[in-house]
Amino acid sequence: MTSLPLSDDSTIPSVDGTPPGDGGIQIDINRGSLIGLLLLNTFLTVITLGIYRFWARTKVRQRLWSAVTLRDDRFAYTGTGKELFIGFLVALVALLPFGLIVSVVNAMIPPTAFGQRFAFQMAVALGAGLLGLMAMYFARRYLLTRTRWRGIHGGQDRELRRFMVKHLNGYLLVLVSFGLLQPKIDARLYNYRTGISWFGTERFRASATSAGLWSVYLPSWLLFLVGYIALIVGFLPFMTWSAAAQEAQVTGIHPGPMPTFEPTIWIVVAILITLGTAGFFLYAVRRSIAFLGATQLGDMLFDLPLRTRQLLYIPLVGTVIYVVTLLLMVGAGALLIWAMGPKSTVIFLLPLVLMVVFLSLNSLISVAWTQVEVLRQIGRHLRLRNMAVLDDLLNRGQPAPTRGEGLADAIGDIGIGA
């Protein structure tokens, strides 16, 4: 498949004569009502000690899915809060033995046995990684089967074992190359995950490559590599002294004075990692644009003539909103303490208020700003070619899972609209 060159000229027609932004897909969402829903969700989640979050996530997904219209028919999210809650409970019961074993074994390892403790931590990380892959698999399957358009829903092939093997092989290559092969592995895994997904009777396919990604990825990778090396160099004297201090508790030999703090190296580390993080964000944006443009459903081709710089305002504005709100929140808290006195009974409610504000802020920025803006940009620029494929779509009749994302909820949310 060949895609059109990226262009800022909105007058360039697509292959089938459809102008950009009129590829049969529209995004229509009221940000004001969405903000109201998010604030209500936060309040109900807090007063129910987190239980309402499953229903909150469902309501947000319903709002986002229904904002997307394809050929005059809206998408629908058919999942329920009850499904997510039951899936969470089932996964939580399944994970309890794992957590218990980790706690018991960790308590049995002596504090000075650094080799044993490191090996155990690596084993725990591997186990958590396997569970994370299972969570990804079941979350994708759930979201696809609960996405409906014209009564037709999506799905995913039932091949958990192959899914995990494919991802483990890819992650191993990334690990042994110290992250250098990340773009190549990203393309390979995207093509695989797309290939096991389908909508109705048509299967998705992708021919994504790492071409065009290296110019952004390599500088970021080098910045992170140098930054982490500097971080290790800065931490090494403290790690050595800490090991000697713990051994001194047994032998009685004084470990010597604590190493002096050198601010220069930490400033360098902070600059390198900050620049590397910004570069990795650019890489993630360019990767998403390139990979979506290499995707197709049956013979229907996706094309996204969108430049990376056209999306940069999204994280920049989100960061400004986040920083300004946090500063205002801290300032208001300090002013309240100054006005009422540090021993006032009202001050003890301040942590709860700050927690509610923090949860609301994260939700507002992630959903009401970032996700809505990304959807709007996709609606403006995405072109779909050979849309006649949609007229022949039928349901497969394959049963959908009866429970929610399960492991994804127990391990940590990786879905949309939390």
Side-chain angles (χ1 to χ4, degrees):
M1 183 189 72
T2 58
S3 60
L4 296 176
L6 300 181
S7 173
D8 291 329
D9 188 354
S10 60
T11 63
I12 299 178
S14 62
V15 172
D16 57 7
T18 305
D22 190 22
I25 188 168
Q26 292 86 35
I27 307 296
D28 179 22
I29 187 167
N30 187 315
R31 181 176 274 131
S33 64
L34 179 61
I35 290 175
L37 175 62
L38 293 170
L39 293 175
L40 177 62
N41 284 345
T42 301
F43 173 74
L44 294 176
T45 300
V46 170
I47 65 174
T48 59
L49 302 180
I51 294 178
Y52 186 76
R53 74 186 183 96
F54 306 102
W55 285 266
R57 183 183 308 166
T58 297
K59 290 183 181 296
V60 172
R61 287 175 176 174
Q62 289 172 345
R63 186 71 61 88
L64 292 177
W65 264 242
S66 64
V68 182
T69 302
L70 178 60
R71 302 191 81 178
D72 300 323
D73 285 293
R74 291 186 180 274
F75 279 83
Y77 174 75
T78 60
T80 67
K82 180 181 177 181
E83 289 175 341
L84 296 178
F85 182 57
I86 293 176
F88 168 77
L89 293 179
V90 171
L92 193 60
V93 171
L95 289 176
L96 280 177
F98 176 78
L100 182 62
I101 292 173
V102 169
S103 300
V104 171
V105 175
N106 187 58
M108 294 173 60
I109 300 176
T112 55
F114 294 105
Q116 296 179 27
R117 188 168 293 279
F118 177 78
F120 175 69
Q121 290 174 349
M122 291 297 100
V124 171
L126 177 60
L130 293 175
L131 291 173
L133 286 176
M134 293 177 65
M136 183 193 301
Y137 174 85
F138 288 116
R140 289 189 82 255
R141 189 181 70 170
Y142 181 79
L143 287 174
L144 284 167
T145 57
R146 295 310 190 270
T147 299
R148 184 166 295 180
W149 176 76
R150 289 184 178 176
I152 302 168
H153 63 80
Q156 178 177 269
D157 293 345
R158 298 189 176 188
E159 48 177 65
L160 175 59
R161 180 179 177 182
R162 187 163 181 246
F163 183 94
M164 295 182 69
V165 170
K166 283 273 189 181
H167 283 78
L168 284 174
N169 288 340
Y171 295 159
L172 180 61
L173 288 174
V174 172
L175 182 64
V176 298
S177 67
F178 295 99
L180 183 58
L181 296 179
Q182 187 74 56
K184 186 176 182 63
I185 300 304
D186 282 347
R188 182 185 302 176
L189 292 179
Y190 177 82
N191 292 338
Y192 167 72
R193 287 193 299 265
T194 304
I196 63 172
S197 308
W198 39 267
F199 194 78
T201 48
E202 289 289 354
R203 183 174 292 275
F204 286 96
R205 289 178 290 170
S207 55
T209 68
S210 58
L213 301 178
W214 295 102
S215 60
V216 175
Y217 182 81
L218 285 179
S220 306
W221 177 78
L222 287 172
L223 286 169
F224 255 105
L225 182 64
V226 176
Y228 275 116
I229 291 175
L231 183 65
I232 293 173
V233 170
F235 258 120
L236 192 59
F238 295 94
M239 295 171 62
T240 304
W241 182 87
S242 177
Q246 292 187 18
E247 188 174 350
Q249 295 178 356
V250 180
T251 62
I253 301 175
H254 193 272
M258 180 182 290
T260 57
F261 180 78
E262 296 291 343
T264 304
I265 191 169
W266 300 110
I267 294 174
V268 171
V269 168
I271 293 174
L272 289 173
I273 292 182
T274 300
L275 292 175
T277 301
F280 276 135
F281 172 79
L282 291 177
Y283 163 74
V285 171
R286 182 173 293 186
R287 178 187 61 191
S288 299
I289 295 173
F291 286 6
L292 183 57
T295 306
Q296 60 187 90
L297 175 64
D299 292 328
M300 185 178 72
L301 310 181
F302 293 69
D303 188 39
L304 190 60
L306 184 65
R307 291 186 180 275
T308 306
R309 66 170 181 265
Q310 291 175 273
L311 296 178
L312 288 182
Y313 76 96
I314 298 177
L316 292 177
V317 172
T319 301
V320 170
I321 295 173
Y322 195 85
V323 171
V324 170
T325 305
L326 283 180
L327 291 176
L328 291 175
M329 185 173 63
V330 172
L335 183 63
L336 183 64
I337 293 175
W338 174 80
M340 305 193 69
K343 295 184 179 181
S344 173
T345 55
V346 178
I347 301 303
F348 292 103
L349 297 176
L350 191 59
L352 178 61
V353 174
L354 294 178
M355 182 186 70
V356 174
V357 173
F358 181 74
L359 291 174
S360 300
L361 183 60
N362 281 337
S363 181
L364 290 174
I365 294 177
S366 172
V367 180
W369 172 251
T370 302
Q371 293 185 26
V372 169
E373 283 301 305
V374 170
L375 280 174
R376 286 178 171 176
Q377 288 289 354
I378 291 175
R380 292 189 189 108
H381 297 277
L382 180 64
R383 306 171 184 174
L384 302 176
R385 312 183 208 164
N386 303 326
M387 286 193 293
V389 170
L390 300 173
D391 298 327
D392 300 325
L393 283 180
L394 297 172
N395 262 326
R396 290 194 174 206
Q398 183 171 341
T402 57
R403 290 192 293 269
E405 292 151 321
L407 283 172
D409 289 303
I411 297 174
D413 179 58
I414 58 174
I416 300 176

